[in-house]
Amino acid sequence: MTLFSQLLGIGMLFVFFALILYVVFGQITVKKLRKNPETKESLGIEFASGWDILNVAQALALPKSWCRKLESSPLSGLYAKSELLRQNTSSFDKALAFIFYWLFTISGFFMILLVVLNSIGVFPE
């Protein structure tokens, strides 16, 4: 078994856990926010089914200063309203969002990095 295969397996394990957290976060937090008339329209644009789960996780996981910058940009309609969501979520929801968002993001970047490094020949056959 090569080093690349082992690292790819570890990356896939992290992706698997991230996808489990995606479903859990969607069922626990985002479902509650969709039912709330105050927050229903503040979840950001949903390009595909479930995209609002990523929007909400991003709004709760990123620092407030980054969220303010995103929400004041010309593309602000794409992002969830972080301040309103923070007011309507518990500390458990915020912790779950933080763990899910960063595990999802880091595992995705890790997998892309592995493929790029493999394609330029870093991992010997």
Side-chain angles (χ1 to χ4, degrees), residues 19-53:
L19 293 177
I20 289 173
L21 288 176
Y22 174 82
V23 172
V24 170
F25 182 71
Q27 290 297 312
I28 292 174
T29 304
V30 179
K31 189 175 184 180
K32 175 176 60 174
L33 293 170
R34 284 181 190 141
K35 289 181 180 180
N36 184 347
E38 186 180 342
T39 58
K40 186 177 181 176
E41 299 299 322
S42 349
L43 304 180
I45 299 283
E46 189 172 11
F47 291 116
S49 180
W51 195 272
D52 57 342
I53 297 171

PDB file of all heavy atoms in Angstrom, residues 19-53:
ATOM      1  N   LEU A  19     -19.560  14.454   6.201  1.00  0.00           N
ATOM      2  CA  LEU A  19     -20.878  14.259   5.595  1.00  0.00           C
ATOM      3  C   LEU A  19     -21.912  13.793   6.612  1.00  0.00           C
ATOM      4  O   LEU A  19     -23.092  14.155   6.517  1.00  0.00           O
ATOM      5  CB  LEU A  19     -20.784  13.287   4.420  1.00  0.00           C
ATOM      6  CG  LEU A  19     -19.993  13.822   3.227  1.00  0.00           C
ATOM      7  CD1 LEU A  19     -19.883  12.763   2.138  1.00  0.00           C
ATOM      8  CD2 LEU A  19     -20.606  15.097   2.679  1.00  0.00           C
ATOM      9  N   ILE A  20     -21.491  13.017   7.589  1.00  0.00           N
ATOM     10  CA  ILE A  20     -22.411  12.652   8.674  1.00  0.00           C
ATOM     11  C   ILE A  20     -22.811  13.908   9.444  1.00  0.00           C
ATOM     12  O   ILE A  20     -23.991  14.125   9.743  1.00  0.00           O
ATOM     13  CB  ILE A  20     -21.773  11.598   9.607  1.00  0.00           C
ATOM     14  CG1 ILE A  20     -21.683  10.264   8.887  1.00  0.00           C
ATOM     15  CG2 ILE A  20     -22.567  11.458  10.903  1.00  0.00           C
ATOM     16  CD1 ILE A  20     -20.921   9.196   9.627  1.00  0.00           C
ATOM     17  N   LEU A  21     -21.831  14.764   9.749  1.00  0.00           N
ATOM     18  CA  LEU A  21     -22.129  16.011  10.456  1.00  0.00           C
ATOM     19  C   LEU A  21     -22.995  16.948   9.612  1.00  0.00           C
ATOM     20  O   LEU A  21     -23.798  17.710  10.148  1.00  0.00           O
ATOM     21  CB  LEU A  21     -20.838  16.715  10.873  1.00  0.00           C
ATOM     22  CG  LEU A  21     -20.077  16.049  12.010  1.00  0.00           C
ATOM     23  CD1 LEU A  21     -18.759  16.779  12.265  1.00  0.00           C
ATOM     24  CD2 LEU A  21     -20.908  16.008  13.277  1.00  0.00           C
ATOM     25  N   TYR A  22     -22.849  16.883   8.289  1.00  0.00           N
ATOM     26  CA  TYR A  22     -23.683  17.674   7.379  1.00  0.00           C
ATOM     27  C   TYR A  22     -25.161  17.328   7.582  1.00  0.00           C
ATOM     28  O   TYR A  22     -26.008  18.211   7.714  1.00  0.00           O
ATOM     29  CB  TYR A  22     -23.246  17.391   5.942  1.00  0.00           C
ATOM     30  CG  TYR A  22     -24.096  18.011   4.870  1.00  0.00           C
ATOM     31  CD1 TYR A  22     -23.927  19.331   4.490  1.00  0.00           C
ATOM     32  CD2 TYR A  22     -25.070  17.266   4.202  1.00  0.00           C
ATOM     33  CE1 TYR A  22     -24.699  19.893   3.488  1.00  0.00           C
ATOM     34  CE2 TYR A  22     -25.834  17.816   3.206  1.00  0.00           C
ATOM     35  CZ  TYR A  22     -25.642  19.136   2.857  1.00  0.00           C
ATOM     36  OH  TYR A  22     -26.414  19.690   1.863  1.00  0.00           O
ATOM     37  N   VAL A  23     -25.449  16.043   7.626  1.00  0.00           N
ATOM     38  CA  VAL A  23     -26.831  15.594   7.815  1.00  0.00           C
ATOM     39  C   VAL A  23     -27.324  15.963   9.213  1.00  0.00           C
ATOM     40  O   VAL A  23     -28.441  16.471   9.379  1.00  0.00           O
ATOM     41  CB  VAL A  23     -26.951  14.073   7.563  1.00  0.00           C
ATOM     42  CG1 VAL A  23     -28.329  13.568   7.935  1.00  0.00           C
ATOM     43  CG2 VAL A  23     -26.623  13.749   6.121  1.00  0.00           C
ATOM     44  N   VAL A  24     -26.492  15.724  10.221  1.00  0.00           N
ATOM     45  CA  VAL A  24     -26.885  16.032  11.603  1.00  0.00           C
ATOM     46  C   VAL A  24     -27.138  17.524  11.766  1.00  0.00           C
ATOM     47  O   VAL A  24     -28.160  17.934  12.335  1.00  0.00           O
ATOM     48  CB  VAL A  24     -25.795  15.529  12.596  1.00  0.00           C
ATOM     49  CG1 VAL A  24     -26.056  16.046  13.991  1.00  0.00           C
ATOM     50  CG2 VAL A  24     -25.730  14.017  12.578  1.00  0.00           C
ATOM     51  N   PHE A  25     -26.234  18.351  11.263  1.00  0.00           N
ATOM     52  CA  PHE A  25     -26.391  19.807  11.366  1.00  0.00           C
ATOM     53  C   PHE A  25     -27.642  20.280  10.626  1.00  0.00           C
ATOM     54  O   PHE A  25     -28.383  21.129  11.118  1.00  0.00           O
ATOM     55  CB  PHE A  25     -25.148  20.509  10.809  1.00  0.00           C
ATOM     56  CG  PHE A  25     -25.190  21.996  10.918  1.00  0.00           C
ATOM     57  CD1 PHE A  25     -25.072  22.627  12.145  1.00  0.00           C
ATOM     58  CD2 PHE A  25     -25.346  22.779   9.787  1.00  0.00           C
ATOM     59  CE1 PHE A  25     -25.111  24.012  12.242  1.00  0.00           C
ATOM     60  CE2 PHE A  25     -25.380  24.157   9.877  1.00  0.00           C
ATOM     61  CZ  PHE A  25     -25.267  24.774  11.111  1.00  0.00           C
ATOM     62  N   GLY A  26     -27.893  19.703   9.466  1.00  0.00           N
ATOM     63  CA  GLY A  26     -29.092  20.064   8.707  1.00  0.00           C
ATOM     64  C   GLY A  26     -30.366  19.702   9.437  1.00  0.00           C
ATOM     65  O   GLY A  26     -31.326  20.480   9.471  1.00  0.00           O
ATOM     66  N   GLN A  27     -30.394  18.526  10.054  1.00  0.00           N
ATOM     67  CA  GLN A  27     -31.597  18.065  10.747  1.00  0.00           C
ATOM     68  C   GLN A  27     -31.816  18.774  12.077  1.00  0.00           C
ATOM     69  O   GLN A  27     -32.960  18.998  12.477  1.00  0.00           O
ATOM     70  CB  GLN A  27     -31.525  16.552  10.982  1.00  0.00           C
ATOM     71  CG  GLN A  27     -31.658  15.749   9.717  1.00  0.00           C
ATOM     72  CD  GLN A  27     -33.001  15.950   9.061  1.00  0.00           C
ATOM     73  OE1 GLN A  27     -34.040  15.881   9.691  1.00  0.00           O
ATOM     74  NE2 GLN A  27     -32.977  16.234   7.762  1.00  0.00           N
ATOM     75  N   ILE A  28     -30.751  19.119  12.773  1.00  0.00           N
ATOM     76  CA  ILE A  28     -30.903  19.737  14.090  1.00  0.00           C
ATOM     77  C   ILE A  28     -31.060  21.250  13.988  1.00  0.00           C
ATOM     78  O   ILE A  28     -32.013  21.821  14.511  1.00  0.00           O
ATOM     79  CB  ILE A  28     -29.699  19.381  14.996  1.00  0.00           C
ATOM     80  CG1 ILE A  28     -29.727  17.899  15.340  1.00  0.00           C
ATOM     81  CG2 ILE A  28     -29.704  20.222  16.269  1.00  0.00           C
ATOM     82  CD1 ILE A  28     -28.520  17.411  16.106  1.00  0.00           C
ATOM     83  N   THR A  29     -30.136  21.898  13.307  1.00  0.00           N
ATOM     84  CA  THR A  29     -30.079  23.359  13.338  1.00  0.00           C
ATOM     85  C   THR A  29     -30.843  24.008  12.190  1.00  0.00           C
ATOM     86  O   THR A  29     -31.704  24.857  12.409  1.00  0.00           O
ATOM     87  CB  THR A  29     -28.616  23.828  13.322  1.00  0.00           C
ATOM     88  OG1 THR A  29     -27.932  23.213  14.413  1.00  0.00           O
ATOM     89  CG2 THR A  29     -28.517  25.325  13.448  1.00  0.00           C
ATOM     90  N   VAL A  30     -30.521  23.619  10.967  1.00  0.00           N
ATOM     91  CA  VAL A  30     -31.097  24.302   9.810  1.00  0.00           C
ATOM     92  C   VAL A  30     -32.595  24.046   9.704  1.00  0.00           C
ATOM     93  O   VAL A  30     -33.363  24.945   9.343  1.00  0.00           O
ATOM     94  CB  VAL A  30     -30.343  23.923   8.524  1.00  0.00           C
ATOM     95  CG1 VAL A  30     -30.948  24.604   7.316  1.00  0.00           C
ATOM     96  CG2 VAL A  30     -28.866  24.287   8.649  1.00  0.00           C
ATOM     97  N   LYS A  31     -33.026  22.868  10.058  1.00  0.00           N
ATOM     98  CA  LYS A  31     -34.471  22.565  10.043  1.00  0.00           C
ATOM     99  C   LYS A  31     -35.221  23.516  10.981  1.00  0.00           C
ATOM    100  O   LYS A  31     -36.289  24.026  10.649  1.00  0.00           O
ATOM    101  CB  LYS A  31     -34.683  21.112  10.452  1.00  0.00           C
ATOM    102  CG  LYS A  31     -36.073  20.607  10.283  1.00  0.00           C
ATOM    103  CD  LYS A  31     -36.127  19.117  10.604  1.00  0.00           C
ATOM    104  CE  LYS A  31     -37.484  18.542  10.352  1.00  0.00           C
ATOM    105  NZ  LYS A  31     -37.519  17.102  10.659  1.00  0.00           N
ATOM    106  N   LYS A  32     -34.629  23.766  12.151  1.00  0.00           N
ATOM    107  CA  LYS A  32     -35.225  24.688  13.122  1.00  0.00           C
ATOM    108  C   LYS A  32     -35.261  26.123  12.555  1.00  0.00           C
ATOM    109  O   LYS A  32     -36.255  26.840  12.711  1.00  0.00           O
ATOM    110  CB  LYS A  32     -34.407  24.638  14.412  1.00  0.00           C
ATOM    111  CG  LYS A  32     -34.806  25.617  15.475  1.00  0.00           C
ATOM    112  CD  LYS A  32     -33.994  25.428  16.742  1.00  0.00           C
ATOM    113  CE  LYS A  32     -32.515  25.630  16.486  1.00  0.00           C
ATOM    114  NZ  LYS A  32     -31.686  25.601  17.683  1.00  0.00           N
ATOM    115  N   LEU A  33     -34.181  26.517  11.875  1.00  0.00           N
ATOM    116  CA  LEU A  33     -34.117  27.870  11.314  1.00  0.00           C
ATOM    117  C   LEU A  33     -35.067  28.048  10.136  1.00  0.00           C
ATOM    118  O   LEU A  33     -35.603  29.134   9.926  1.00  0.00           O
ATOM    119  CB  LEU A  33     -32.679  28.195  10.887  1.00  0.00           C
ATOM    120  CG  LEU A  33     -31.671  28.313  12.023  1.00  0.00           C
ATOM    121  CD1 LEU A  33     -30.255  28.379  11.465  1.00  0.00           C
ATOM    122  CD2 LEU A  33     -31.965  29.521  12.882  1.00  0.00           C
ATOM    123  N   ARG A  34     -35.286  27.000   9.364  1.00  0.00           N
ATOM    124  CA  ARG A  34     -36.233  27.074   8.242  1.00  0.00           C
ATOM    125  C   ARG A  34     -37.666  27.253   8.737  1.00  0.00           C
ATOM    126  O   ARG A  34     -38.475  27.889   8.075  1.00  0.00           O
ATOM    127  CB  ARG A  34     -36.156  25.802   7.407  1.00  0.00           C
ATOM    128  CG  ARG A  34     -34.962  25.705   6.510  1.00  0.00           C
ATOM    129  CD  ARG A  34     -35.024  24.416   5.714  1.00  0.00           C
ATOM    130  NE  ARG A  34     -33.800  24.157   5.003  1.00  0.00           N
ATOM    131  CZ  ARG A  34     -33.255  22.958   4.859  1.00  0.00           C
ATOM    132  NH1 ARG A  34     -33.843  21.897   5.393  1.00  0.00           N
ATOM    133  NH2 ARG A  34     -32.146  22.802   4.190  1.00  0.00           N
ATOM    134  N   LYS A  35     -37.989  26.672   9.886  1.00  0.00           N
ATOM    135  CA  LYS A  35     -39.342  26.772  10.434  1.00  0.00           C
ATOM    136  C   LYS A  35     -39.613  28.120  11.096  1.00  0.00           C
ATOM    137  O   LYS A  35     -40.767  28.505  11.238  1.00  0.00           O
ATOM    138  CB  LYS A  35     -39.585  25.654  11.443  1.00  0.00           C
ATOM    139  CG  LYS A  35     -39.696  24.295  10.807  1.00  0.00           C
ATOM    140  CD  LYS A  35     -39.952  23.233  11.848  1.00  0.00           C
ATOM    141  CE  LYS A  35     -40.061  21.870  11.206  1.00  0.00           C
ATOM    142  NZ  LYS A  35     -40.311  20.812  12.188  1.00  0.00           N
ATOM    143  N   ASN A  36     -38.563  28.812  11.504  1.00  0.00           N
ATOM    144  CA  ASN A  36     -38.700  30.104  12.174  1.00  0.00           C
ATOM    145  C   ASN A  36     -38.954  31.189  11.120  1.00  0.00           C
ATOM    146  O   ASN A  36     -38.116  31.424  10.259  1.00  0.00           O
ATOM    147  CB  ASN A  36     -37.423  30.412  12.960  1.00  0.00           C
ATOM    148  CG  ASN A  36     -37.501  31.686  13.758  1.00  0.00           C
ATOM    149  OD1 ASN A  36     -38.392  32.502  13.578  1.00  0.00           O
ATOM    150  ND2 ASN A  36     -36.551  31.859  14.649  1.00  0.00           N
ATOM    151  N   PRO A  37     -40.118  31.889  11.178  1.00  0.00           N
ATOM    152  CA  PRO A  37     -40.412  32.911  10.165  1.00  0.00           C
ATOM    153  C   PRO A  37     -39.407  34.064  10.165  1.00  0.00           C
ATOM    154  O   PRO A  37     -39.182  34.689   9.130  1.00  0.00           O
ATOM    155  CB  PRO A  37     -41.807  33.424  10.540  1.00  0.00           C
ATOM    156  CG  PRO A  37     -42.256  32.649  11.712  1.00  0.00           C
ATOM    157  CD  PRO A  37     -41.179  31.717  12.135  1.00  0.00           C
ATOM    158  N   GLU A  38     -38.781  34.314  11.304  1.00  0.00           N
ATOM    159  CA  GLU A  38     -37.805  35.401  11.406  1.00  0.00           C
ATOM    160  C   GLU A  38     -36.511  35.080  10.639  1.00  0.00           C
ATOM    161  O   GLU A  38     -35.889  35.970  10.069  1.00  0.00           O
ATOM    162  CB  GLU A  38     -37.479  35.654  12.886  1.00  0.00           C
ATOM    163  CG  GLU A  38     -36.594  36.834  13.139  1.00  0.00           C
ATOM    164  CD  GLU A  38     -36.311  37.020  14.613  1.00  0.00           C
ATOM    165  OE1 GLU A  38     -37.044  36.461  15.457  1.00  0.00           O
ATOM    166  OE2 GLU A  38     -35.343  37.726  14.922  1.00  0.00           O
ATOM    167  N   THR A  39     -36.132  33.822  10.615  1.00  0.00           N
ATOM    168  CA  THR A  39     -34.858  33.447   9.990  1.00  0.00           C
ATOM    169  C   THR A  39     -35.022  32.729   8.651  1.00  0.00           C
ATOM    170  O   THR A  39     -34.029  32.493   7.961  1.00  0.00           O
ATOM    171  CB  THR A  39     -34.059  32.519  10.930  1.00  0.00           C
ATOM    172  OG1 THR A  39     -34.840  31.373  11.221  1.00  0.00           O
ATOM    173  CG2 THR A  39     -33.676  33.238  12.197  1.00  0.00           C
ATOM    174  N   LYS A  40     -36.229  32.413   8.278  1.00  0.00           N
ATOM    175  CA  LYS A  40     -36.487  31.624   7.074  1.00  0.00           C
ATOM    176  C   LYS A  40     -35.859  32.236   5.816  1.00  0.00           C
ATOM    177  O   LYS A  40     -35.288  31.531   4.998  1.00  0.00           O
ATOM    178  CB  LYS A  40     -37.992  31.464   6.879  1.00  0.00           C
ATOM    179  CG  LYS A  40     -38.374  30.565   5.753  1.00  0.00           C
ATOM    180  CD  LYS A  40     -39.869  30.407   5.676  1.00  0.00           C
ATOM    181  CE  LYS A  40     -40.238  29.480   4.560  1.00  0.00           C
ATOM    182  NZ  LYS A  40     -41.651  29.216   4.480  1.00  0.00           N
ATOM    183  N   GLU A  41     -35.941  33.541   5.684  1.00  0.00           N
ATOM    184  CA  GLU A  41     -35.435  34.225   4.492  1.00  0.00           C
ATOM    185  C   GLU A  41     -33.991  34.702   4.636  1.00  0.00           C
ATOM    186  O   GLU A  41     -33.482  35.397   3.772  1.00  0.00           O
ATOM    187  CB  GLU A  41     -36.343  35.416   4.143  1.00  0.00           C
ATOM    188  CG  GLU A  41     -37.771  35.037   3.839  1.00  0.00           C
ATOM    189  CD  GLU A  41     -37.894  34.111   2.642  1.00  0.00           C
ATOM    190  OE1 GLU A  41     -37.138  34.292   1.660  1.00  0.00           O
ATOM    191  OE2 GLU A  41     -38.730  33.182   2.692  1.00  0.00           O
ATOM    192  N   SER A  42     -33.299  34.360   5.724  1.00  0.00           N
ATOM    193  CA  SER A  42     -31.930  34.831   5.948  1.00  0.00           C
ATOM    194  C   SER A  42     -30.887  33.742   5.835  1.00  0.00           C
ATOM    195  O   SER A  42     -29.806  33.872   6.355  1.00  0.00           O
ATOM    196  CB  SER A  42     -31.781  35.463   7.315  1.00  0.00           C
ATOM    197  OG  SER A  42     -32.923  35.690   7.990  1.00  0.00           O
ATOM    198  N   LEU A  43     -31.216  32.675   5.146  1.00  0.00           N
ATOM    199  CA  LEU A  43     -30.297  31.548   5.054  1.00  0.00           C
ATOM    200  C   LEU A  43     -29.407  31.607   3.814  1.00  0.00           C
ATOM    201  O   LEU A  43     -28.598  30.722   3.595  1.00  0.00           O
ATOM    202  CB  LEU A  43     -31.067  30.227   5.083  1.00  0.00           C
ATOM    203  CG  LEU A  43     -31.986  30.012   6.283  1.00  0.00           C
ATOM    204  CD1 LEU A  43     -32.684  28.674   6.180  1.00  0.00           C
ATOM    205  CD2 LEU A  43     -31.216  30.121   7.573  1.00  0.00           C
ATOM    206  N   GLY A  44     -29.546  32.645   3.018  1.00  0.00           N
ATOM    207  CA  GLY A  44     -28.739  32.783   1.809  1.00  0.00           C
ATOM    208  C   GLY A  44     -29.365  32.068   0.627  1.00  0.00           C
ATOM    209  O   GLY A  44     -30.354  31.354   0.754  1.00  0.00           O
ATOM    210  N   ILE A  45     -28.759  32.263  -0.534  1.00  0.00           N
ATOM    211  CA  ILE A  45     -29.248  31.644  -1.768  1.00  0.00           C
ATOM    212  C   ILE A  45     -28.945  30.150  -1.739  1.00  0.00           C
ATOM    213  O   ILE A  45     -27.864  29.735  -1.351  1.00  0.00           O
ATOM    214  CB  ILE A  45     -28.546  32.281  -2.993  1.00  0.00           C
ATOM    215  CG1 ILE A  45     -28.833  33.775  -3.086  1.00  0.00           C
ATOM    216  CG2 ILE A  45     -28.926  31.569  -4.277  1.00  0.00           C
ATOM    217  CD1 ILE A  45     -30.178  34.131  -3.615  1.00  0.00           C
ATOM    218  N   GLU A  46     -29.914  29.370  -2.198  1.00  0.00           N
ATOM    219  CA  GLU A  46     -29.745  27.922  -2.236  1.00  0.00           C
ATOM    220  C   GLU A  46     -29.585  27.494  -3.695  1.00  0.00           C
ATOM    221  O   GLU A  46     -30.556  27.335  -4.424  1.00  0.00           O
ATOM    222  CB  GLU A  46     -30.945  27.229  -1.589  1.00  0.00           C
ATOM    223  CG  GLU A  46     -30.759  25.765  -1.406  1.00  0.00           C
ATOM    224  CD  GLU A  46     -31.878  25.127  -0.595  1.00  0.00           C
ATOM    225  OE1 GLU A  46     -32.902  25.766  -0.353  1.00  0.00           O
ATOM    226  OE2 GLU A  46     -31.700  23.970  -0.219  1.00  0.00           O
ATOM    227  N   PHE A  47     -28.325  27.338  -4.149  1.00  0.00           N
ATOM    228  CA  PHE A  47     -28.052  26.949  -5.534  1.00  0.00           C
ATOM    229  C   PHE A  47     -28.549  25.536  -5.817  1.00  0.00           C
ATOM    230  O   PHE A  47     -29.048  25.243  -6.891  1.00  0.00           O
ATOM    231  CB  PHE A  47     -26.549  26.996  -5.821  1.00  0.00           C
ATOM    232  CG  PHE A  47     -25.989  28.384  -5.838  1.00  0.00           C
ATOM    233  CD1 PHE A  47     -25.060  28.768  -4.896  1.00  0.00           C
ATOM    234  CD2 PHE A  47     -26.394  29.299  -6.779  1.00  0.00           C
ATOM    235  CE1 PHE A  47     -24.545  30.037  -4.899  1.00  0.00           C
ATOM    236  CE2 PHE A  47     -25.888  30.577  -6.798  1.00  0.00           C
ATOM    237  CZ  PHE A  47     -24.954  30.944  -5.854  1.00  0.00           C
ATOM    238  N   ALA A  48     -28.348  24.667  -4.870  1.00  0.00           N
ATOM    239  CA  ALA A  48     -28.791  23.278  -4.979  1.00  0.00           C
ATOM    240  C   ALA A  48     -29.412  22.905  -3.648  1.00  0.00           C
ATOM    241  O   ALA A  48     -29.201  23.588  -2.645  1.00  0.00           O
ATOM    242  CB  ALA A  48     -27.609  22.372  -5.299  1.00  0.00           C
ATOM    243  N   SER A  49     -30.156  21.838  -3.645  1.00  0.00           N
ATOM    244  CA  SER A  49     -30.798  21.404  -2.421  1.00  0.00           C
ATOM    245  C   SER A  49     -29.754  21.152  -1.340  1.00  0.00           C
ATOM    246  O   SER A  49     -28.788  20.423  -1.550  1.00  0.00           O
ATOM    247  CB  SER A  49     -31.583  20.124  -2.691  1.00  0.00           C
ATOM    248  OG  SER A  49     -32.212  19.691  -1.525  1.00  0.00           O
ATOM    249  N   GLY A  50     -29.929  21.776  -0.187  1.00  0.00           N
ATOM    250  CA  GLY A  50     -29.005  21.608   0.921  1.00  0.00           C
ATOM    251  C   GLY A  50     -27.906  22.642   0.993  1.00  0.00           C
ATOM    252  O   GLY A  50     -27.120  22.656   1.937  1.00  0.00           O
ATOM    253  N   TRP A  51     -27.824  23.516   0.001  1.00  0.00           N
ATOM    254  CA  TRP A  51     -26.765  24.537   0.007  1.00  0.00           C
ATOM    255  C   TRP A  51     -26.928  25.494   1.188  1.00  0.00           C
ATOM    256  O   TRP A  51     -25.951  26.022   1.701  1.00  0.00           O
ATOM    257  CB  TRP A  51     -26.791  25.312  -1.312  1.00  0.00           C
ATOM    258  CG  TRP A  51     -25.551  26.109  -1.539  1.00  0.00           C
ATOM    259  CD1 TRP A  51     -25.309  27.389  -1.126  1.00  0.00           C
ATOM    260  CD2 TRP A  51     -24.374  25.687  -2.218  1.00  0.00           C
ATOM    261  NE1 TRP A  51     -24.067  27.786  -1.517  1.00  0.00           N
ATOM    262  CE2 TRP A  51     -23.462  26.751  -2.194  1.00  0.00           C
ATOM    263  CE3 TRP A  51     -23.999  24.506  -2.852  1.00  0.00           C
ATOM    264  CZ2 TRP A  51     -22.212  26.677  -2.776  1.00  0.00           C
ATOM    265  CZ3 TRP A  51     -22.758  24.444  -3.434  1.00  0.00           C
ATOM    266  CH2 TRP A  51     -21.882  25.524  -3.383  1.00  0.00           C
ATOM    267  N   ASP A  52     -28.152  25.703   1.623  1.00  0.00           N
ATOM    268  CA  ASP A  52     -28.368  26.589   2.766  1.00  0.00           C
ATOM    269  C   ASP A  52     -27.745  26.021   4.042  1.00  0.00           C
ATOM    270  O   ASP A  52     -27.388  26.782   4.948  1.00  0.00           O
ATOM    271  CB  ASP A  52     -29.850  26.894   2.967  1.00  0.00           C
ATOM    272  CG  ASP A  52     -30.710  25.668   3.149  1.00  0.00           C
ATOM    273  OD1 ASP A  52     -30.260  24.555   2.801  1.00  0.00           O
ATOM    274  OD2 ASP A  52     -31.849  25.819   3.613  1.00  0.00           O
ATOM    275  N   ILE A  53     -27.562  24.715   4.114  1.00  0.00           N
ATOM    276  CA  ILE A  53     -26.883  24.119   5.270  1.00  0.00           C
ATOM    277  C   ILE A  53     -25.441  24.614   5.315  1.00  0.00           C
ATOM    278  O   ILE A  53     -24.937  24.994   6.373  1.00  0.00           O
ATOM    279  CB  ILE A  53     -26.948  22.577   5.206  1.00  0.00           C
ATOM    280  CG1 ILE A  53     -28.405  22.108   5.279  1.00  0.00           C
ATOM    281  CG2 ILE A  53     -26.112  21.944   6.313  1.00  0.00           C
ATOM    282  CD1 ILE A  53     -28.611  20.637   5.002  1.00  0.00           C
TER     283      ILE A  53
END
